Amino acid sequence: MHNIQRNLLGRADALLLLGLALFMAYLLSGEMYWHYLHPRFRPVTATAALAMAGLGLFALFRPPRPSGGRTLAFALMLGLSLASLPATDPFGSRGGGRGVAEAETAEEVPENETGYLRLNTGELYDLAENNELSKHPGPGFAVRGFVRRDPELDRQGLFGLYRVALYCCFADATAVGIVVRPPDGALPEDGTWVRTAGRLNPTPDGASWPDIQVPGIFYASTLPGYVFAADTVVAVAAPREPFMFEWRAAPPYAY
């Protein structure tokens, strides 16, 4: 009887390990991996999943010495992993619930944005900070992101436009954005995604902006001393992977 209980506990550990391996394989096979980690860590996750699957299979046929603490730890990890599905958007942005195909169609560059340099908010932030805006002649820049409203900005007819940079995982996510003046004075709804084209102009007094909070992250950085004078502001679906995973210093930029 003692041997039977020992084998059952050992095989429970094996099944839990296989469950964790299947969870990681599920993330790798779909489009949800970026909800958890930067895509560059896919090879690491794949290696870990294979190792865990191998250990699980070995333990299934050669049950280890039973340990209630180990079994509980494995069960807790698997339970938390499953509880995280489906991963939700922690940053308060809304993309209209469209599918990937619709989102890609919605993001096609319209004719009235022809000639604008497409880049992300982090890259535009760096161009301004490094005094390199003049190196890119043309009608201006095209960026996209989610809207953050603030009472102080509302009074000035402005809104914040942000993207979240993910370097490793949610723990180090930071929001980087600019302040936008819409061409018609109409302020988009908070949390919606928009694409805008226009010029980044210095403010007369080099003013900084209020500390705008983005749900789910510790720090948001808003480019000080500049306002993006928009020629167009168009509501769009959120991109399939809304984070900024790349941050390039030269064209082609990671729009």
Side-chain angles (χ1 to χ4, degrees):
M1 180 65 69
H2 177 72
N3 287 336
I4 293 176
Q5 291 177 341
R6 173 180 174 177
N7 289 339
L8 286 176
L9 283 174
R11 288 193 170 92
D13 289 349
L15 292 175
L16 290 170
L17 280 172
L18 290 172
L20 287 168
L22 286 173
F23 174 79
M24 288 188 285
Y26 168 74
L27 294 183
L28 290 166
S29 64
E31 298 178 354
M32 296 186 64
Y33 187 85
W34 63 267
H35 285 262
Y36 296 84
L37 289 170
H38 193 295
R40 68 168 174 261
F41 294 111
R42 281 180 179 270
V44 177
T45 302
T47 301
L50 288 173
M52 201 166 289
L55 290 172
L57 289 173
F58 180 81
L60 196 61
F61 294 99
R62 296 287 298 273
R65 185 184 302 274
S67 169
R70 182 182 62 221
T71 303
L72 180 62
F74 287 167
L76 182 61
M77 285 190 290
L78 183 58
L80 290 174
S81 299
L82 295 176
S84 70
L85 296 174
T88 57
D89 176 8
F91 304 119
S93 59
R94 301 191 298 278
R98 303 183 188 182
V100 171
E102 290 181 80
E104 290 175 349
T105 300
E107 292 167 7
E108 291 179 358
V109 181
E111 292 183 2
N112 61 1
E113 290 186 8
T114 301
Y116 291 89
L117 180 63
R118 304 175 80 203
L119 72 177
N120 64 45
T121 57
E123 292 161 341
L124 183 57
Y125 191 112
D126 280 354
L127 287 181
E129 286 282 280
N130 298 327
N131 297 315
E132 296 178 347
L133 295 174
S134 61
K135 294 183 179 180
H136 300 279
F141 304 94
V143 293
R144 59 181 173 176
F146 60 88
V147 173
R148 294 301 296 167
R149 298 278 295 275
D150 177 86
E152 184 176 335
L153 294 182
D154 284 354
R155 287 192 291 269
Q156 301 178 60
L158 307 170
F159 66 89
L161 185 71
Y162 292 86
R163 293 284 297 277
V164 173
L166 193 68
Y167 300 95
C168 171
C169 54
F170 282 166
D172 64 7
T174 57
V176 182
I178 57 175
V179 168
V180 180
R181 186 183 304 280
D184 54 3
L187 298 175
E189 185 180 352
D190 189 53
T192 55
W193 275 78
V194 300
R195 182 181 59 229
T196 180
R199 297 160 305 287
L200 190 63
N201 299 325
T203 57
D205 54 1
S208 59
W209 303 111
D211 292 330
I212 299 176
Q213 301 300 315
V214 176
I217 69 166
F218 177 72
Y219 181 71
S221 178
T222 309
L223 177 64
Y226 287 87
V227 172
F228 192 85
D231 297 323
T232 60
V233 175
V234 181
V236 295
R240 181 176 59 184
E241 294 182 353
F243 297 156
M244 294 187 294
F245 295 120
E246 293 185 80
W247 204 304
R248 300 174 186 171
Y253 289 106
Y255 176 75

